[in-house]
Amino acid sequence: MRLKNNFLLLTILLVATILRFWNYSEIPFTNDEFSALFRTHYDSFSDLISKGVIIDGHPAGIQVFIYYWVQLFGYTEMSVKFPFIIFGILSILVLYRIAKMWYNETIALICASFLATLQYTVVYSQIARPYISGLLFCLLMVLFLTRIIKEKGKKRYWNYILFVLSASLCTYNHHFSLLFALIIGVSGLFLIQKKQFLPYFLCGLAIIVLYLPHLPIFFYQLKVGGVEGWLGKPKNDFIISYLKYIFQFSYFTFSLVFSLMIFGIFRRKTLNKKNFIIAVIWFFLPFLIGFFYSKYVNSVLQYSVLIFNFPFLFFILFGHIQEQKTKINAFLVGIILLSNTLVLCLERKHYETFYKSPQEHFILELKKIENKKTTLSIIADYNRKISNHYIKKHRVKSKITWIDSFKTQQDFILFLETNSSKYDELYFGGLSEVNPSIVPLIMDYFPEIVWQKNYFGGTAYLFLSADKAGSKGKKSSCKMIEKLDFESKTNNWSSLNPKQYTDSVKFAGKYAYLIDSLTEWSPTFSKNVWDFAKNKNNIVDVSLKTCLPDTLIDAILIVSLEAKDSAYYWGGSSFETFKIESKTSIARNKWISVHHSFKLSQDFLKVEDLKLKVFIWNRGKQNFLVDNIEIKLRDGNPIIYGFNEKF
């Protein structure tokens, strides 16, 4: 029986190895990995610490490891990622050993099977950052603590030494692995025998002494704080979202977990209450500390930082399952490996999404377009260092204009206007945080979308100029929600005053609408969001044409989402930021476009009776004309946040 169970363990490790090394040479660097690699080009260790570690917000351990690793093995994706993939595979073996010592071989095989196949652990095994390494170090610490408690004789002293070393690795790996090491260490005080207190206490002192050189870095980073500014504060349902994330947002995976729990309950004889309590504390306490620290101090809580303690969720869920016969073990392992692998590959599409870096594929697509006989303008909103890496790698020669090279939005609009007469096509790509209003701005001058390429973390578009529009592609991927052209009746706009219609100057049709100095608030559009939007990835584009005076205009296009006197989104675009001086605008009687775009989210679509409202705030109380107010729904990128949400 032991031999057969060992064969099952080898099968689990083989599947884990295949999943992590699949198309090994095609696994790209993430932005975080590039950041770490860019911080390895120092001539001395002191420079590495002062310029490459302290500014990062993470402990020194993994950055120092990468610094020396790349000197020995180079900067290729395969060489840099290799040790972390090995860390991920070893974590499965260590968790198996812990579960077997705490419970039995059946639970150990179940836990190992999940750790081998969940996207959570597969993806972080393929990323050279301090997450999968921290998982291994924390599990090693638990393993040696367990051996200290259970084993006797000379081996125990080796366990003390290895316990100190693994705990020290945790402290130097990540602040959350340090936190979890502290929780494990304190827990050990309640688990060891009285006669073990002195050597265990000395272990704690040794861990502290080994960490002393890192204290200046720790206190500096603590003073600086977390990553507040780009990482939002966690919502109250964070733990629910996290559990969905762990189990791959899949009904199949949740059904499998639930079935295993029920299977264990019907066959349960006893429950190890002490182990259950420990597992509950170890899984929930780091989350609670991170949650409240992020709520009231600095935002640090992400799914990635909870990977160090998450395997103990398996002990909570499956710790009541009794030892089973080899045939049942084989069935359980087989169904877990098969089910999770299918979800990983087919439902989560891991190898289609994670293996396509948006910045590299932007360059690869550019190389294809270069071979066409067409004139092309190229705009990118990417990290320049990373893009230059791929430009050199793929030997692309085209000139790229970077979004951050424009000092103002007016400069960008003027660039588009100038280039629309010179180029047949415009190629644009950007990361997830790109301003969604850029697309309608581009479409003012390149009105046709030939294609849109969606990647995890970014999106790329190919646009066609007005002269070439209609020859290929499609007008856009937009659905008109409302168009107010002041020619026909509409039921979704309130307070339209017929006396303010004018036919003297207009952009199109017979009439425009005058907003005069006595009008602070324009007519308001209002419509239930559920009437037109069902997809959290949709983008709402609001546009209008306006004829402005030569003097400074203080007017804002306001867009909001409201329900029951509460605003769930509020944003605006100043008319003045769209105003440029050019030959084209003068020829048009100075009619210009104003845009405001925003992305919907799942949180918005959960709100009952949520209304989209659009209006103009004439804050400066001046006279100007508006025409052709359009509200459109545009297809967004369904996989842009692919690993953190269901798609």
Side-chain angles (χ1 to χ4, degrees), residues 202-215:
L202 293 175
C203 284
L205 286 180
I207 295 167
I208 293 172
V209 170
L210 289 172
Y211 188 69
L212 286 178
H214 199 276
L215 277 178

Side-chain angles (χ1 to χ4, degrees), residues 534-582:
K534 306 295 181 184
N535 190 325
K536 64 183 179 182
N537 299 298
N538 289 150
I539 296 170
V540 176
D541 293 322
V542 181
S543 305
L544 60 81
K545 299 293 182 181
T546 183
C547 188
L548 301 176
D550 292 330
T551 56
L552 182 69
I553 185 74
D554 188 9
I556 302 173
L557 172 62
I558 303 292
V559 181
S560 68
L561 294 175
E562 300 177 15
K564 298 179 180 178
D565 299 324
S566 296
Y568 293 85
Y569 172 83
W570 195 96
S573 294
S574 170
F575 282 29
E576 195 67 31
T577 61
F578 294 85
K579 187 178 179 182
I580 62 171
E581 293 297 333
S582 68

Side-chain angles (χ1 to χ4, degrees), residues 133-149:
S133 55
L135 173 61
L136 175 61
F137 301 152
C138 289
L139 289 174
L140 284 171
M141 187 178 176
V142 173
L143 175 64
F144 295 124
L145 174 60
T146 305
R147 287 182 173 177
I148 288 171
I149 296 167

Side-chain angles (χ1 to χ4, degrees), residues 31 167 171 210 243 271 279 300 344 392 487 635 639:
N31 286 3
T171 63
L210 289 172
L243 291 174
L271 175 66
V300 296
L344 176 76
K392 291 177 182 178
E487 312 295 327
D635 291 339
I639 61 172

Side-chain angles (χ1 to χ4, degrees), residues 4-5 8 324-332:
K4 292 179 179 179
N5 282 330
L8 291 176
Q324 304 296 318
K325 295 179 180 180
T326 305
K327 289 183 179 180
I328 296 179
N329 287 345
F331 173 77
L332 295 176

